[in-house]
Amino acid sequence: MNSLILTAFARIFFAILIGVSIFILYRGHNQPGGGFVGGLMAAAGFAVLALAEGVAAARRALPFHPVTVMGIGLVMAIVSGVPGLFSDDSYLTHWWFHAGDFHTGTALIFDIGVYLVVMSGILALVLRFYEEEGEH
């Protein structure tokens, strides 16, 4: 797309969308949000960048191929449920860690895995559509 305004603000939108997606990812433990919604927001950030500056710019912003990131996220989500097998004989029973007001657990690893799978899956689809559009 050849828009001066979109090109000028694409990097700002990208940074804002990635920041908000990470906030939503972490907030999802106690409130609505989490890996799925955060991943959608991150994919929207990359889509804006690809629309304004082209697919090559979006690919440079993500250091790995989207399918590789999707595989990493899938492994993280699957592995996050394993500790529950040792403590409660129940897959996906998460362990929680508390340090003062800060609490986290293996559920965060699961959410990060979902985040990576959703973001990279949508991103692979969007980049493929943009590439095909450019060929015609």
Side-chain angles (χ1 to χ4, degrees):
M1 176 173 276
N2 192 9
S3 168
L4 179 63
I5 295 172
L6 182 61
T7 303
F9 287 101
R11 292 280 173 178
I12 295 169
F13 289 149
F14 174 73
I16 290 171
L17 285 170
I18 295 298
V20 169
S21 75
I22 292 170
F23 173 75
I24 289 172
L25 165 69
Y26 186 72
R27 180 180 170 242
H29 290 298
N30 301 321
Q31 298 174 359
F36 190 85
V37 177
L40 288 176
M41 294 288 293
F46 282 100
V48 167
L49 193 61
L51 185 63
E53 298 181 14
V55 172
R59 288 194 185 276
R60 280 192 305 270
L62 187 66
F64 301 104
H65 193 278
V67 175
T68 303
V69 175
M70 194 181 328
I72 292 169
L74 189 60
V75 169
M76 288 177 69
I78 291 171
V79 170
S80 72
V82 172
L85 290 174
F86 297 109
S87 62
D88 297 333
D89 290 333
S90 177
Y91 184 70
L92 285 178
T93 298
H94 293 286
W95 289 359
W96 293 97
F97 308 101
H98 302 278
D101 291 337
F102 179 77
H103 66 277
T104 188
T106 55
L108 180 60
I109 297 170
F110 179 81
D111 279 342
I112 292 171
V114 170
Y115 176 93
L116 293 176
V117 168
V118 170
M119 178 198 67
S120 57
I122 298 295
L123 184 61
L125 181 70
V126 166
L127 293 181
R128 183 69 179 153
F129 283 149
Y130 285 167
E131 286 174 338
E132 287 183 6
E133 183 180 293
E135 293 174 0
H136 298 288

